[in-house]
Amino acid sequence: MFSWQGQEKDGQTGSIHYGTAQDRDFFVPKVLTRRLTRTRLFPRDLKDVAAALALHFERLGPVLISTTQPAYAQAAARALQTALDKTDTPVLGGRNQRDQRRALSERIAEHLGEEHELTVMVTQGIAYHHGTIPQPVRHLLERSYRDGALRVLCATSTLSQGMNLPVKTVLVHSTWRNQEQIGVREFWNAAGRAGRAFQETEGHVVLIAKDTQDARNLRRRYLDKDNIEPVLSTIGALYHRLAITRLGTRPAPGQNLTDIDLPDPELEDLTDWAQELELQLLTMLAEEVVDTPDQHLLEDAAHDLLAHTLGGHQIGAQEWSLKPLARFTARRVAALARQLPDPAARAAILRTGLSLQGGLDAITAAEQVANTLTEHPGLLDPATWPALRDTVLTATTIQELRRSATDKNRPIGAVVPLAGDWIAGWTLQEIHHHYQLLLAAKDITATSDYIDKVITHDLAWAVSSILQILETRHGINLEGPLATLPAMLKYGVDTAPACYAASLGIHQRSAATGLAARCPIPEPSFSDFTGWLDDRPAPSVTATLHTDPQPLADTGQLTDHDQVELAITISPAPEDRRRRTSR
């Protein structure tokens, strides 16, 4: 636990307390001092304290500054950059890493531009990492941190939960997010990054406190091993919160809830949970039970299924009756069955993974596209592909896409034109320059976030769902570019072979497109494409990729005379059990 001690007027000493609850064990206890500069102590702000501590601990090994919000991660990295600029050696690490960092900076500049702060920061051995940074850039930062080129990374939970990184010290910059303290589990997820197995014998986790009182509060909340939150079932949480809504108070363990009627949810998260539960039960319950006029049979069947869930066990552990939830779900499942009398439609929605409303939207969109194709069958001609693509994209207005597109005031009207330009191969910088006013995106990372969340994820998901319904409910065979449209949206390329190349790990779009353009097979299948690669001699593949080898290789530092190995593993056909690999 790091905290400041002493009177402000006299200056303060920043100490780190390790070990026991009695605070008797210390290791390198006094690490920072701060004094009044005119009328203000420095460092005072969390970002400046985290930066000073990072410079102290970086001498022991790689440092992760764990933050709760993207703005905190960026502020900490900027503070570290400022602190570094004031030292005699404003670059972390040794001289042997400079070439690697220069190459990393050039790679990042391809995505964010030469003037972006991340492009400059990485040359000093520091960076920040959060969800709005383009995914290719995040991968570059993670790889460079693993390789040792980056010494300090300021990150949100996008990096601190589950990543196996060579972290020696985790500095917990903040524990508050939007006026709420993060959970104990989230803290320990971040703490668990410290001390990588087989590389370190121990790791350091330092909570940064504002003062001694804050240190006591943090220790009480996060370091008490008995204070971990329980794992709660979504079904159990739904029951509990709806019961509170009905009763006006929290039910006590053992309270008789048998006869209460759970109300329909009004909050968005509860509505989503209830709809997901209903879709699952609608599929699992037998059709003759779902469509029976005997409500009692449906309640009994729902009760039996719910009793075998984690939520059912947790509700039972509180000695609450499961009957209110069984009545609630039976009533809503029956209403859903009346709304969707066609079992095939029910199955179609469940296969897509969409919400109930999203699934209904997808069915409507599929019908719209099917009607358009009936009236204009020529749209299926390859020559009219752009018109067919825009027809499908325009019809794709499902709930999940509307939510993500309008989140943070993003305009849904940008989806179709931006998706078309993304598929056409426009670079992120070109898209940002063209759409920044429409997206109200001051920084290029905001444009990248729109593409990642709206285009490559939700739009691709929505289009894939509509195509499934077109095929299963309308009998429309998915061939040619129409079948590949979700992959085009995901990878940002405009041909099936380019999608194949991207799916094989060629992350740079221009490299995937360039390799695909050299395939001589007209309209190849995936096996045709990989077979063609498998048959190419190594010099031929190297020459194909010679124009831009680094993005494909992802091997770090390369020079002009280096060759690149492209390894493609072909899954064996049943009659050929050998594993073929071409380099």
Side-chain angles (χ1 to χ4, degrees), residues 494-514:
D494 62 354
T495 66
C499 291
Y500 303 152
S503 71
L504 292 171
I506 303 176
H507 299 301
Q508 188 173 33
R509 295 152 67 208
S510 60
T513 301

Side-chain angles (χ1 to χ4, degrees), residues 495 497-498 500-502 504 506 508-520 529 532-533 536 540-545 547 552 566 568:
T495 66
Y500 303 152
L504 292 171
I506 303 176
Q508 188 173 33
R509 295 152 67 208
S510 60
T513 301
L515 180 63
R518 293 177 177 266
C519 180
F529 183 77
W532 167 70
L533 281 177
R536 297 303 90 199
S540 173
V541 175
T542 302
T544 301
L545 300 167
T547 55
L552 175 71
L566 172 65
I568 305 294

Side-chain angles (χ1 to χ4, degrees), residues 324-437:
L325 186 60
R327 285 197 301 272
F328 169 85
T329 54
R331 167 171 55 84
R332 291 173 61 95
V333 165
L336 178 57
R338 290 191 295 271
Q339 187 179 3
L340 284 174
D342 181 6
R346 302 170 188 169
I349 291 177
L350 194 70
R351 277 197 301 270
T352 65
L354 297 169
S355 65
L356 171 60
Q357 186 57 55
L360 293 173
D361 293 340
I363 289 176
T364 301
E367 290 175 352
Q368 180 181 333
V369 173
N371 292 336
T372 301
L373 292 176
T374 300
E375 296 175 7
H376 306 284
L379 283 175
L380 292 172
D381 190 297
T384 61
W385 163 239
L388 176 59
R389 178 199 66 197
D390 290 346
T391 297
V392 175
L393 295 180
T394 302
T396 307
T397 56
I398 67 171
Q399 176 175 272
E400 282 78 359
L401 181 63
R402 289 195 301 271
R403 281 184 182 177
S404 65
T406 56
D407 182 37
K408 299 178 183 176
N409 298 317
R410 294 164 170 156
I412 195 169
V415 170
V416 175
L418 194 153
D421 293 334
W422 169 249
I423 291 173
W426 284 29
T427 67
L428 176 58
Q429 294 177 64
E430 290 171 335
I431 291 176
H432 177 66
H433 178 74
H434 187 75
Y435 288 94
Q436 60 179 325
L437 292 179

Side-chain angles (χ1 to χ4, degrees), residues 7-129:
Q7 298 295 320
E8 289 194 9
K9 61 184 179 64
D10 300 325
Q12 293 181 313
T13 299
S15 300
I16 294 181
H17 294 222
Y18 279 82
T20 68
Q22 291 77 27
D23 288 337
R24 289 198 297 260
D25 291 350
F26 299 90
F27 172 71
V28 196
K30 295 177 173 57
V31 295
L32 296 181
T33 58
R34 66 180 182 182
R35 302 190 183 282
L36 284 172
T37 303
R38 295 183 181 177
T39 60
R40 184 177 175 83
L41 285 168
F42 185 85
R44 174 184 290 271
D45 295 338
L46 282 174
K47 60 182 177 61
D48 298 312
V49 176
L53 287 172
L55 291 181
H56 174 80
F57 279 99
E58 183 273 332
R59 293 173 292 178
L60 303 179
V63 174
L64 173 66
I65 299 179
S66 177
T67 69
T68 55
Q69 299 182 63
Y72 291 168
Q74 293 177 210
R78 291 167 188 155
L80 182 56
Q81 194 176 30
T82 300
L84 264 178
D85 289 340
K86 295 178 181 180
T87 65
D88 295 333
T89 56
V91 176
L92 295 176
R95 292 179 175 272
N96 60 331
Q97 296 167 330
R98 290 182 179 177
D99 290 341
Q100 192 174 353
R101 290 172 181 169
R102 189 181 304 113
L104 172 63
S105 177
E106 292 172 356
R107 295 284 304 282
I108 292 176
E110 295 172 6
H111 298 276
L112 303 180
E114 295 181 357
E115 303 302 320
H116 196 274
E117 61 182 352
L118 261 180
T119 306
V120 179
M121 276 182 185
V122 296
T123 62
Q124 295 178 277
I126 60 179
Y128 57 80
H129 183 293

